[in-house]
């Protein structure tokens, strides 16, 4: 576990150094996925270590909402509901197509293509008796595409200085 932790820290550092979005997280995530997915390492982190990591991650994400108003939350809620409706509709349509062309169950395809967290979708697949490896693999690929393609798409649409405040 210590060797994997050191290797993942190094991968995170390298990803950060090469300006990969969320480099510390992404580099560690990809290396750990590679090591565990290939069977080179079979590691399960004990809950005593996972719980504090989740607490820290949740606290860190929560600080991003500092200074946000209720009005902002409400407007974001409606945008989120709309984005979810579009995302789940597209996922359902493609899942129906995949299910009709292959012997993959519709529910399994839907969990694989639906927007959501990797661990949540994989757990749902396991609980529903569907193939969790299929679902996890597709969710992981979706995540990788978002991490690497989305920054490029944002720069193409909004320009190179998209983070700079606009002087309207």
């Amino acid at each position: 576990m210590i060797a994997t932790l050191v290797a993942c820290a190094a991968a995170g550092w390298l990803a950060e150094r090469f300006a990969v979005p969320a480099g510390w997280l992404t580099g560690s995530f990809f290396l750990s996925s590679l090591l565990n997915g290939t069977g080179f390492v079979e590691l399960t982190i004990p809950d005593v270590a996972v719980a504090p990591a989740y607490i820290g991650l949740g606290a860190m994400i929560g600080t991003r909402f500092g200074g946000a108003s209720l009005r902002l939350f409400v407007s974001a809620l409606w945008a989120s509901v709309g984005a979810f409706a579009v995302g789940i509709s597209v996922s359902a349509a493609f899942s129906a197509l995949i299910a009709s062309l292959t012997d993959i169950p519709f529910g399994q395809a839907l969990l694989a293509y639906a927007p959501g967290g990797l661990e949540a979708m994989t757990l749902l697949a396991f609980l529903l008796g569907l193939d969790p490896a299929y679902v996890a693999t597709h969710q992981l690929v979706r995540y990788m595409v978002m991490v690497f393609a989305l920054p490029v798409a944002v720069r193409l649409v909004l320009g190179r200085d998209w983070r700079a405040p606009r002087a309207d």
Side-chain angles (χ1 to χ4, degrees), residues 110-112 114-126 132 135 139 142:
L110 183 61
L111 286 177
L118 169 69
E119 66 285 337
M121 295 302 188
T122 304
L123 180 61
L124 278 171
F126 179 74
V135 172
Q139 287 288 333
R142 181 182 63 84

Side-chain angles (χ1 to χ4, degrees), residues 24-95:
W24 284 104
L25 178 67
T26 306
S28 300
F29 176 78
F30 287 135
L31 181 62
S32 178
S33 298
L34 178 69
L35 293 174
N36 283 282
T38 60
F40 186 76
V41 170
E42 291 188 22
L43 181 65
T44 301
I45 298 174
D47 287 341
V48 71
V50 171
Y54 278 148
I55 291 168
L57 186 60
M60 197 171 76
I61 291 169
T63 62
R64 302 286 187 185
F65 293 96
S69 66
L70 181 60
R71 183 178 181 155
L72 176 65
F73 278 117
V74 171
S75 67
L77 174 68
W78 289 115
S80 298
V81 168
F84 173 77
V86 170
I88 200 68
S89 298
V90 171
S91 298
F94 277 98
S95 297

Side-chain angles (χ1 to χ4, degrees), residues 97-165:
L97 178 65
I98 293 298
S100 70
L101 296 176
T102 67
D103 60 350
I104 294 168
F106 172 77
Q108 183 171 302
L110 183 61
L111 286 177
Y113 303 133
L118 169 69
E119 66 285 337
M121 295 302 188
T122 304
L123 180 61
L124 278 171
F126 179 74
L127 293 173
L128 296 172
L130 302 169
D131 184 0
Y134 177 86
V135 172
T137 300
H138 284 79
Q139 287 288 333
L140 181 60
V141 169
R142 181 182 63 84
Y143 176 76
M144 290 188 320
V145 168
M146 285 185 349
V147 165
F148 292 110
L150 201 54
V152 173
V154 167
R155 282 193 184 124
L156 287 174
V157 172
L158 300 178
R160 189 170 250 296
D161 298 336
W162 66 275
R163 289 187 182 182

Side-chain angles (χ1 to χ4, degrees), residues 9-27:
W13 179 82
L14 279 173
E16 188 71 23
R17 184 138 168 101
F18 285 103
V20 172
W24 284 104
L25 178 67
T26 306

